[in-house]
Amino acid sequence: MVAAYIGEPDRQTLIESHAGLNAEFFSSLSGDISPDSLFNQLIEALTSGGDARLVLEAETGLNRYYSAPYPRDVIAFASSTANDISRPAFDHLLAKWAAGTPAYSEWLDDLRSRIRSAYSLSRNVEIAFAPSGTDLEYVALAAVAGRSAGGIHNILLGADEVGSGCIFSAHGRYFAETTARGIATTKGDTVEGLETVSLIDIPVRDAEGTALSSRQCVERIRQQLQQAQAADRFPVVHVVHGSKTGLILPSSHDLAELASEWKDRALFVVDACQARMHEDVAAQYLDLGCIVFVTGSKFMGGPPFSGVALIPRDLVEKAAPLPAGFRKIFRAAEWPSSWVGGDDLADEENVGLALRLEAAIFELERYVAIPPADREAVIALFRECVSQMVSANLGFEELLPHHPDEPERGERHPTAMRTLTTLDVSNLDQAPTFAAAQAMHRQLVDHGVRLGQPVKCIRREDEEWAGTLRIGLSMPQISMLARLSSSEAKNLLEEDLARVARAIQRLG
């Protein structure tokens, strides 16, 4: 293995160099937590080993998504964007930090075992880790690099609904000014070894904002597959299991047909980065030969950011050596040991990533331990309370997570996907447009309310995008609510969502 680059501090460096954080950061700190030395060391570690999105602003103690790596007493239904860490997960990390963290490679191997257990995956599934969901795009490109003389044709489904940085990483380019290894790069420059990647975006909505049907989606994917074949480029097809607005495209049936038709001639990647899926769904996609992307910072409820790629072993065995540019982005332990070229990556630790993953998998394990019937009951209560306390109360329409002519898909929409509701708030004087809704989203934070960011998904008559907001439940919230009686859970949800509605009314 190559010598470590200077970039990510190890645990001892974090402890020795810690200069303390501004106490004003913690005005909303949850409960009886005291921001002592151990607390501050953990916060500094949790915000290391990523890109600028992890940085806490000096004025607020929050990152650019208004979330924090410490528990806070705020009303938050923002799992579609970013979470504050839960108190149980934070306590879990504090105990682990105080006891001394394990060696990085051992820690990640343990996390791999726990992920396989939670998702009921076999040992034939390899797992790679990434500093964020955006970095996961590089995994798919590495899996097929060199397979065709003309390079790779990356077919991205719904770029507006999967993350803004993905249009760079999916194109084989750097998406930030600094990588998670602390190495300076130029945003938009090609990652060395990924020079021949073309990218096409297939919108998941038409010009009016209506979601495509599964069949429409398949037709557009098939056109791109044929174009890639004609150009002697190996196609990578990104499908979505849970976009920013809860879309699943194409349907599982249609994806299975496509994957069978193009077996060994294309790679299908399931973007399940929201992680709103039943624990047996990942295995179903993997059985089709797909790579599955999940992140720990959305529905799982972990702190920003962390990424997990679930990869069929045969893809790893057939893969070319990792691109040279990956030495600027990844550490050796983050890749399956059998992937050729992994030994050329830096033999160093990313304590921040390991901690963020630890928190996310802790939440995943708590969630899957809840009986499915209890989860479903909590989610049904959430849906009922959102509709009554917010949508009906304020006259908002709830966006359909499917094409209007596919009501049967709505009836079969997975339970975990029902934890997210996208609201059309354009009837408000202060949020008629997407830009105005963005401003309201920021203002809600000052009122102690965090919701999911607006998404461009509804077209107004004047051709502008309408204002939206998203309300999402997280795994830690479900774990907490499932411990309560039905009446207690309903009362708590009604109280919190009533506060959300009042805050919106004050601003609207």
Side-chain angles (χ1 to χ4, degrees), residues 275-434:
R276 298 180 198 273
M277 61 181 178
H278 191 273
E279 54 267 29
D280 63 358
V281 169
Q284 295 171 18
Y285 284 129
L286 288 158
D287 286 344
L288 296 176
C290 304
I291 291 178
V292 180
F293 291 163
V294 296
T295 67
S297 55
K298 302 294 194 274
F299 182 48
M300 277 192 204
F305 287 103
S306 62
V308 179
L310 309 175
I311 314 164
R313 177 169 292 170
D314 68 312
L315 288 177
V316 174
E317 292 172 347
K318 292 187 292 187
L322 291 174
F326 282 20
R327 282 176 277 182
K328 297 179 181 179
I329 305 169
F330 298 101
R331 281 90 170 167
E334 293 157 5
W335 285 78
S337 59
S338 58
W339 201 305
V340 178
D343 284 349
D344 292 331
L345 302 178
D347 182 15
E348 63 183 19
E349 298 192 346
N350 186 342
V351 177
L353 174 58
L355 285 166
R356 296 189 292 272
L357 287 165
E358 179 71 36
I361 304 313
F362 170 84
E363 298 291 10
L364 175 62
E365 290 169 332
R366 289 205 299 156
Y367 176 79
V368 299
I370 302 170
D374 292 351
R375 289 185 239 159
E376 292 169 8
V378 168
I379 293 168
L381 276 178
F382 167 75
R383 297 287 298 184
E384 176 187 338
C385 291
V386 169
S387 294
Q388 291 179 355
M389 306 305 296
V390 183
S391 305
N393 189 19
L394 300 180
F396 297 156
E397 286 191 22
E398 297 181 5
L399 194 67
L400 291 174
H402 55 81
H403 189 277
D405 294 338
E406 296 180 310
E408 71 285 353
R409 296 197 69 203
E411 295 165 4
R412 297 195 304 266
H413 211 48
T415 300
M417 291 302 306
R418 297 173 187 266
T419 58
L420 176 63
T421 300
T422 302
L423 302 174
D424 178 356
V425 300
S426 60
N427 64 333
L428 296 173
D429 291 340
Q430 296 301 313
T433 64
F434 174 77

